[in-house]
Amino acid sequence: MTPASRREVAHRVLGPSDKGLPADAAGLTVADFLAGEPRLADLWTPLLVLDDGALDDNIAFLAGWVSERGLELMPHGKTTMAPQLWRRQLDAGATGITVATPSQLRVAVDAGIPAVMLANQLVQPDAIRWVAGVVAAGTRVWSWVDDPAGIDAIERAVGDSVTRPLEVLVDVGRPGGRTGARSLDAAVAVARRAAASPVVRLAGVTGYEGAVAHGRGDEALASARAYIEELLAVHDALAPLYDDGDVLVSAGGSAYPDVVGAAFAAASVAGDRARFVLRSGAYVVHDHGYYRQNSPFEGAGLRPAARGLARVLSRLDSGTAIVDAGKRDFPFDEGLPVPLYAIDATGERMPLPGAVMTKLSDQHGFVSIEPDSPLAMGDLVVFGLSHPCTMFDKWRLVPVVDSLEDPSTATLTDLVETRF
């Protein structure tokens, strides 16, 4: 973890609400706590823990992959809502951060992020006026719009008071999908309305292929490719409406960056001078579940950077171990945690053949194990986790360690603050 990242929370005072930290951390600043070189073994379970080296490797990998293709990356910050990690992504070459809501945008602006994409339509008058003020003060903000009524809403909110126009990207969707204009004609109508507005600048097109494709099967990949072709067709149709400023074309979550990247790189090589921007966010920690199954970079550049740690509370049923982590601690919407191994009271690693997490309640996890497993009360179980986008919201501070190869000897290098 870079010193600059550490400084962002160095003076934060730790307290009882910072779960997982030992009792004697209360009252210390983050800097003072880390100066004591605490070990991971000193922390209380349950825990979400990040591997510093894996974070660096993942960030560097995608930054290089995007750069090699002449593309840009504005990673989706809602995955972690952690400005410390956003800063690491920017330092590696990301040209901005993407957020999903005006409140998340406020976090990004407060953190000093100079360029932010709001991947939604601005509709609330107060939020629109606040964004106009932020833009006037120098932060670059792009928001999405999929309906001429969205431009109407901006004009009603700000009147003729803006000193800098609000930049918008036409959101392209499909019937029955999520947001996004439902046809080429509809997208052009939105663009014309934006181009004619005195307070808005038409800045490009955008969309999300993950709303129309699921999985890595042939049909899903074909659907994602077809969608990106539609997005590029809208971009081509809008060319007469663009002004002389820069133009963004943006798509690309963490499941289909290869599909999006190939299409964008081809358009760029063909002479399109737009800024082609991917928004992948989950790559920063990858996972042991959803993205292990769906990322094209699994085993080829990304590795899981997060683990869940929990201790065995009960072995009263021979084939079940109850651990001290539940829905309030670990993600569960895209697959339950995966037991990887255990560490016993002597610090020895213990394999867990056939172990499966079968259920999470609020504060307990149910792990099915072999009836004769030596797993005992107090043993530490290390879990792989699925879906980074619901991993961080359960934690105010997430410990980062030098390596997760051996949790019993790992040392903390930082505490990452989330701002959900």
Side-chain angles (χ1 to χ4, degrees):
M1 186 72 70
T2 63
S5 174
R6 233 181 254 126
R7 285 197 298 269
E8 293 191 27
V9 295
H11 300 295
R12 186 188 193 280
V13 177
L14 303 174
S17 61
D18 295 316
K19 66 180 185 178
L21 301 187
D24 57 8
L28 298 177
T29 65
V30 168
D32 288 341
F33 177 65
L34 293 175
E37 298 184 347
R39 298 182 307 142
L40 180 58
D42 298 328
L43 274 57
W44 296 3
T45 56
L47 280 172
L48 171 67
V49 185
L50 301 175
D51 183 310
D52 208 356
L55 288 173
D56 271 344
D57 290 348
N58 291 346
I59 291 170
F61 168 76
L62 195 60
W65 188 91
V66 168
S67 177
E68 288 167 3
R69 287 155 179 77
L71 311 176
E72 296 183 34
L73 178 65
M74 293 186 185
H76 216 317
K78 56 93 174 169
T79 300
T80 64
M81 286 305 296
Q84 288 160 269
L85 298 182
W86 297 351
R87 187 65 59 187
R88 290 175 73 163
Q89 292 169 300
L90 291 170
D91 289 346
T95 53
I97 294 294
T98 299
V99 296
T101 69
S103 292
Q104 292 176 3
L105 178 59
R106 287 178 63 191
V107 172
V109 172
D110 181 67
I113 306 301
V116 190
M117 185 183 302
L118 175 61
N120 262 320
Q121 190 157 226
L122 275 168
V123 296
Q124 186 170 340
D126 285 349
I128 294 170
R129 287 188 284 270
W130 177 81
V131 171
V134 164
V135 170
T139 300
R140 191 124 189 228
V141 178
W142 298 266
S143 62
W144 295 12
V145 62
D146 67 1
D147 190 316
I151 307 300
D152 296 342
I154 293 174
E155 290 181 346
R156 285 195 301 270
V158 301
D160 58 0
S161 62
V162 298
T163 57
R164 293 187 181 181
L166 277 66
E167 297 187 278
V168 297
L169 307 176
V170 175
D171 181 11
V172 178
R174 282 182 175 173
R178 202 166 69 177
T179 61
R182 281 2 195 185
S183 68
L184 174 61
D185 288 345
V188 171
V190 176
R192 285 176 176 159
R193 178 69 181 85
S197 174
V199 299
V200 164
R201 174 178 178 260
L202 175 64
V205 299
T206 189
Y208 178 49
E209 73 289 344
V212 302
H214 306 281
R216 294 289 299 182
D218 291 344
E219 184 177 348
L221 292 172
S223 181
R225 291 189 190 99
Y227 173 78
I228 297 302
E229 290 174 2
E230 294 169 12
L231 181 70
L232 291 172
V234 172
H235 167 57
D236 290 341
L238 301 191
L241 298 173
Y242 294 142
D243 61 20
D244 293 333
D246 60 1
V247 171
L248 271 62
V249 179
S250 177
S254 293
Y256 305 103
D258 54 335
V259 173
V260 177
F264 281 5
S268 180
V269 167
D272 194 317
R273 300 182 65 181
R275 296 171 57 185
F276 290 94
V277 180
L278 274 70
R279 303 188 307 274
S280 307
Y283 80 96
V284 67
V285 293
H286 197 48
D287 71 8
H288 280 90
Y290 182 81
Y291 287 107
R292 169 163 280 184
Q293 296 171 0
N294 291 290
S295 171
F297 303 134
E298 162 62 25
L302 299 182
R303 58 190 173 108
R307 303 288 190 279
L309 274 58
R311 291 194 181 277
V312 177
L313 297 176
S314 175
R315 276 295 320 268
L316 296 181
D317 295 328
S318 62
T320 301
I322 305 298
V323 298
D324 62 353
K327 293 179 180 179
R328 300 183 187 276
D329 310 298
F330 296 162
F332 56 91
D333 60 314
E334 291 286 359
L336 293 175
V338 179
L340 300 176
Y341 59 90
I343 298 175
D344 66 18
T346 69
E348 291 297 314
R349 183 178 295 214
M350 180 193 312
L352 294 174
V356 177
M357 177 76 84
T358 60
K359 183 173 70 171
L360 286 177
S361 57
D362 287 350
Q363 304 286 185
H364 297 87
F366 295 70
V367 182
S368 174
I369 56 176
E370 295 179 342
D372 59 351
S373 171
L375 192 65
M377 181 187 299
D379 287 347
L380 184 72
V381 182
V382 179
F383 292 91
L385 304 174
S386 180
H387 199 203
C389 296
T390 53
M391 194 179 292
F392 287 79
D393 59 316
K394 300 162 179 61
W395 297 86
R396 295 180 180 178
L397 287 174
V398 182
V400 184
V401 297
D402 52 358
S403 172
L404 276 170
E405 290 301 313
D406 186 356
S408 61
T409 62
T411 300
L412 267 67
T413 62
D414 204 3
L415 292 171
V416 166
E417 182 181 51
T418 67
R419 299 187 186 176
F420 286 94

